[in-house]
Amino acid sequence: GDKSRKYQKGMIVSVLAGARFGPRQHVFDAVIDKVDVKTIAELSPNEIEHDNPEIRHHDELCRFLGQLYNREVSEQDTVTVIRFSAIRMSLGI
């Protein structure tokens, strides 16, 4: 869906790993560099592969997202593509 109101360029976010509705582990903090809203059909092959290197085609991404969100996902569904950069901790002196 369109999450452009929730996530905006310049925001600091925590990147977490873990199952939905389960315990999560903090991986790193990041700054959002870019937010794009488009349909799955509009995603470039590079954008698809960037999300999951094992997926290369729109139909594969729809199946993957369908399993992840436990619902039917089509190429006409809207997605929010968020690009971010990890924030490295400074050791400072």
Side-chain angles (χ1 to χ4, degrees), residues 17-82:
R20 201 166 171 210
F21 305 117
R24 309 283 175 101
Q25 181 178 355
H26 181 264
V27 180
F28 56 84
D29 290 327
V31 61
I32 295 177
D33 298 318
K34 186 176 181 183
V35 178
D36 284 324
V37 177
K38 50 180 76 176
T39 65
I40 291 175
E42 294 172 318
L43 294 173
S44 71
N46 187 40
E47 289 172 316
I48 293 171
E49 190 174 350
H50 196 290
D51 184 59
N52 184 333
E54 296 178 10
I55 296 176
R56 303 208 190 291
H57 304 285
H58 294 98
D59 59 328
E60 295 171 327
L61 180 60
C62 289
R63 278 194 299 276
F64 173 75
L65 292 174
Q67 291 174 338
L68 187 66
Y69 293 107
N70 198 28
R71 69 172 187 84
E72 281 290 316
V73 175
S74 78
E75 291 187 25
Q76 302 315 309
D77 282 319
T78 300
V79 294
T80 303
V81 180
I82 301 172

